[in-house]
Amino acid sequence: MTQSGFFDVEERLARLSGLGDQLEAFSRIVDFEVFRPELNKALAYSDGRKGGRPPFDPVLMFKILLIQTLNNLSDERTEYLINDRLSFMRFLGLGLSDRVPD
């Protein structure tokens, strides 16, 4: 087994794109930021003055719900597959070291 190089992840993502990553195409077609105002209004997050862990980005959580619905996944399986699949991470805008919602 060889050591991972700097561009290995980028090359793998390019290969996924070449194979027709449907989530990548979905991201090009849908501007998910359009949903942010409605999501913020519906979720009504507190301002954080009382402490606690900051909430995850509402658009990120919306996209996770889309993945979950499109693939008929449980919460546990969704978390696992987000950690496992580069295509899911790319769709969600997560890097390899980013925290995945549980």
Side-chain angles (χ1 to χ4, degrees):
M1 187 170 188
T2 61
Q3 183 175 355
S4 297
F6 183 70
F7 296 106
D8 288 346
V9 172
E10 290 177 17
E11 289 174 8
R12 180 69 57 93
L13 288 171
R15 194 171 316 136
L16 287 171
S17 295
L19 293 170
D21 182 358
Q22 293 177 341
L23 290 175
E24 184 181 30
F26 197 38
S27 287
R28 280 194 310 266
I29 295 168
V30 178
D31 177 14
F32 287 98
E33 287 301 317
V34 169
F35 299 104
R36 185 175 297 282
E38 288 300 318
L39 291 168
N40 284 333
K41 191 165 73 173
L43 294 169
Y45 287 141
S46 71
D47 59 10
R49 286 185 284 185
K50 292 185 179 181
R53 185 177 2 173
F56 283 101
D57 179 68
V59 174
L60 169 71
M61 297 306 292
F62 179 62
K63 289 169 119 179
I64 289 173
L65 287 173
L66 286 173
I67 286 174
Q68 194 170 21
T69 302
L70 291 170
N71 295 285
N72 196 27
L73 301 170
S74 67
D75 291 342
E76 295 80 18
R77 189 69 180 157
T78 302
E79 180 184 2
Y80 172 81
L81 289 174
I82 291 169
N83 280 294
D84 184 58
R85 290 189 176 178
L86 287 175
S87 60
F88 283 11
M89 283 188 251
R90 175 170 56 184
F91 176 68
L92 298 171
L94 297 174
L96 291 173
S97 61
D98 290 331
R99 194 167 146 257
V100 173
D102 52 3

